[in-house]
Amino acid sequence: MQTVHSLDPLRRSVSALRQSGTGSGTIALVPTMGALHEGHLTLVREARKRADHVVVSIFVNPLQFGVNEDLDAYPRQLERDCALLEPEGVALVWAPTVEAMYPQGFATNVGVTGVSDGLCGASRPGHFDGVATVVCKLFHQVLPDIALFGEKDWQQLAVIRRMARDLDLTRPHVDNVIGVETVRETDGLARSSRNAYLAAEERAQAVTLPTAMKVAIAAIESGEPVGQTIAALEAALIAGGFASVDYAELRDAENLDLLGARSERPMRLLVAARIGKARLIDNMAVAPSA
Ligand code: PAF
């Protein structure tokens, strides 16, 4: 496994990978900000099944941090991350410096309107522009055949897919921006590094999130009114120990339009709620009406 920090060696390594091996030299990109955990490794394993070579990018992207978010406190542990990636068969780690990614005078912004608004976009102004800008650059730098992202950050995935579609990207094509199913604990709580902030009692209460979401989804799918169902979901979260609910919304799975009733298109129930020191997010599919 090779690790590179600037663009010229990256390009040389990527073209060497394309020409090496017995396969067609396909490349999968797994973009990350490092501090890797099991969720990232799941993406890497899925990437290995789908392509000949896996490139993992590790870059703490300043553009996606707000003024109140502590960019400096974000964990940077490249050596540990590389030690986790090597046994997974990753071919190349792309760990650019901030200067390599955003040279002096960098002035371009990739903004994706609509899907970036509301949900997590409401409390993090500019966040999804930062994500779209860096992912657009990563796509052009690595030129992967496919790229993989966790479905846990559904809004992020929707933003990236919309960008790939709107900009007619070919590496990867929008159809090859792949969402990988959320990894869950045995009780159903979505795995997240934020779960570590939960005290034992809060961790036990946190299971209310996936449980109440499943109840709400069953109600919506059986024709119960969406507004009432969402209100019941919010009440269940507060009764279950959550301090507040940032949002609980039914949205179109692709364009993220807010829905007041069940639709004939794929839908997603998306929730963000606070418990203890953690803000937990989750989302699940809701079956379209026939
Ligand atoms: O999900 C993340 O870790 C980041 O938002 C991403 C996609 C790597 C862009 O910096």
Side-chain angles (χ1 to χ4, degrees):
M1 187 178 83
Q2 238 192 316
T3 302
V4 292
H5 304 283
S6 55
L7 213 43
D8 286 342
L10 172 78
R11 292 202 164 121
R12 280 197 294 275
S13 300
V14 167
S15 56
L17 280 179
R18 283 214 176 275
Q19 282 148 32
S20 72
T22 50
S24 48
T26 53
I27 290 180
L29 172 66
V30 179
T32 81
M33 296 210 299
L36 302 181
H37 53 67
E38 200 52 33
H40 298 108
L41 299 183
T42 305
L43 299 181
V44 168
R45 288 171 198 145
E46 189 58 38
R48 279 212 69 196
K49 286 189 216 152
R50 292 171 179 256
D52 296 318
H53 309 288
V54 178
V55 177
V56 174
S57 64
I58 297 181
F59 179 66
V60 181
N61 175 31
L63 287 193
Q64 68 189 78
F65 284 76
V67 276
N68 306 324
E69 300 174 39
D70 199 349
L71 169 66
D72 294 333
Y74 198 88
R76 288 156 173 90
Q77 40 198 44
L78 185 60
E79 243 178 76
R80 177 195 164 273
D81 289 343
C82 289
L84 289 171
L85 293 175
E86 177 116 53
E88 299 292 339
V90 169
L92 181 62
V93 174
W94 168 221
T97 58
V98 175
E99 295 67 34
M101 186 61 87
Y102 300 123
Q104 187 69 29
F106 183 86
T108 298
N109 180 59
V110 180
V112 184
T113 56
V115 281
S116 295
D117 305 333
L119 302 169
C120 288
S123 55
R124 302 184 77 184
H127 169 72
F128 287 114
D129 282 15
V131 171
T133 303
V134 80
V135 171
C136 191
K137 284 188 62 107
L138 289 166
F139 284 177
H140 282 91
Q141 291 163 347
V142 178
L143 296 173
D145 299 276
I146 64 171
L148 295 91
F149 299 86
E151 285 189 349
K152 175 141 185 300
D153 293 309
W154 188 267
Q155 189 175 14
Q156 168 169 283
L157 181 59
V159 167
I160 292 164
R161 282 188 170 139
R162 177 54 61 102
M163 174 196 68
R165 198 202 69 170
D166 288 357
L167 298 182
D168 304 315
L169 300 190
T170 52
R171 280 185 185 261
H173 183 270
V174 58
D175 294 344
N176 291 323
V177 175
I178 293 159
V180 177
E181 210 180 308
T182 302
V183 182
R184 294 181 182 277
E185 304 293 349
T186 44
D187 64 359
L189 183 68
R191 282 223 186 141
S192 163
S193 38
R194 294 169 185 187
N195 298 351
Y197 301 140
L198 299 172
E201 193 196 350
E202 292 160 357
R203 170 62 189 85
Q205 292 169 322
V207 72
T208 313
L209 179 56
T211 310
M213 287 177 73
K214 280 187 207 142
V215 171
I217 288 167
I220 293 168
E221 289 178 348
S222 68
E224 297 294 324
V226 170
Q228 258 170 263
T229 306
I230 298 277
L233 164 62
E234 290 181 352
L237 289 172
I238 301 299
F242 279 80
S244 60
V245 179
D246 279 8
Y247 60 76
E249 293 177 357
L250 181 68
R251 297 230 174 197
D252 183 282
E254 190 191 330
N255 59 35
L256 297 191
D257 281 353
L258 184 61
L259 300 172
R262 199 172 171 206
S263 130
E264 287 172 5
R265 289 165 46 84
M267 290 161 285
R268 216 77 197 171
L269 178 64
L270 301 106
V271 181
R274 292 175 193 271
I275 182 165
K277 290 198 194 94
R279 177 180 180 273
L280 303 184
I281 59 168
D282 203 349
N283 71 84
M284 294 181 189
V286 181
S289 53

